[in-house]
């Protein structure tokens, strides 16, 4: 979302919390639970999609249960001017879950998964083989004390109407 984009209001936040908890709810049920008209919910959802806030309704998956019990992070230093090419090649590696362009020590921050240490070595070897990657530094995640989340932000916004 752009820096000058319109902020979410309490109803937007309550709608997003509801959809986060129960993504299969229909518009009519959302309107009933929120105490607003069906058209209001539909208009809010359309606006949130149009603004790029609401990106979809994917299921939440447990990668460990899918056989990918190892999560690692790599900081990549890349050749100057190669960010787009490197990102495109990283996207072709199935185990690469996300890539962020960063400031600081490295240029890209990569989250990846693997089935084992040997499998992680294979993934790292693929990443090192990407044209434009000059150096990597990889760390294995031992646990995830705070999982990716947006709920606290939505809850704070939802309280503004109370």
């Amino acid at each position: 979302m752009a820096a000058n984009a319109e902020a979410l209001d309490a109803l937007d936040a309550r709608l997003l919390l509801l959809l986060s908890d129960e993504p299969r709810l229909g518009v009519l049920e959302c309107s009933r639970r929120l105490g607003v008209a069906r058209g209001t919910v539909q208009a809010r959802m359309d606006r949130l999609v149009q603004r790029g806030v609401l990106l979809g309704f994917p299921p939440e998956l447990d990668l460990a249960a899918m056989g990918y019990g190892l999560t690692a992070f790599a900081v990549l230093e890349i050749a100057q001017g190669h960010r787009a090419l490197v990102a495109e090649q990283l996207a072709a590696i199935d185990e690469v879950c996300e890539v962020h362009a960063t400031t600081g020590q490295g240029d890209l921050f990569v989250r990846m998964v693997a089935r084992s240490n040997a499998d992680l070595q294979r993934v790292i070897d693929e990443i090192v083989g990407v044209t434009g990657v000059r150096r990597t530094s990889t760390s294995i995640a031992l646990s995830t004390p705070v999982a990716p989340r947006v709920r606290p932000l939505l809850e704070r916004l939802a309280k503004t109407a109370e």
Side-chain angles (χ1 to χ4, degrees):
M1 184 159 56
N4 62 354
E6 177 185 342
L8 298 180
D9 66 14
L11 181 56
D12 290 332
R14 289 176 41 226
L15 174 59
L16 291 170
L17 283 167
L18 184 59
L19 291 171
S20 294
D21 290 342
E22 299 182 62
R24 293 177 144 187
L25 286 182
V27 173
L28 187 59
E29 182 60 18
C30 286
S31 69
R32 188 186 69 71
R33 292 191 190 186
L34 294 171
V36 298
R38 181 197 176 288
T40 300
V41 169
Q42 187 64 61
R44 293 292 181 120
M45 286 178 66
D46 291 345
R47 185 171 49 87
L48 291 168
V49 168
Q50 179 187 24
R51 289 176 45 209
V53 174
L54 182 58
L55 300 175
F57 299 94
E60 186 175 341
L61 304 174
D62 183 333
L63 290 169
M66 293 172 51
Y68 293 93
L70 198 144
T71 298
F73 299 90
V75 175
L76 307 184
E77 292 179 22
I78 62 172
Q80 201 166 18
H82 285 76
R83 184 178 46 82
L85 175 64
V86 170
E88 181 181 315
Q89 292 176 72
L90 290 173
I93 300 171
D94 295 340
E95 293 83 1
V96 171
C97 297
E98 57 186 298
V99 178
H100 299 270
T102 60
T103 62
Q105 291 274 332
D107 303 302
L108 296 175
F109 187 72
V110 178
R111 181 172 69 95
M112 64 190 100
V113 294
R115 295 179 180 278
S116 64
N117 287 345
D119 191 39
L120 177 61
Q121 183 63 62
R122 179 192 57 78
V123 175
I124 292 169
D125 289 346
E126 275 192 67
I127 290 171
V128 170
V130 166
T131 303
V133 172
R134 291 200 168 161
R135 180 183 308 250
T136 67
S137 175
T138 304
S139 299
I140 295 174
L142 300 176
S143 67
T144 307
V146 179
R149 64 196 184 125
V150 296
R151 183 172 203 84
L153 299 171
L154 292 172
E155 288 174 345
R156 183 183 334 150
L157 283 170
K159 288 180 184 176
T160 61
E162 294 174 358

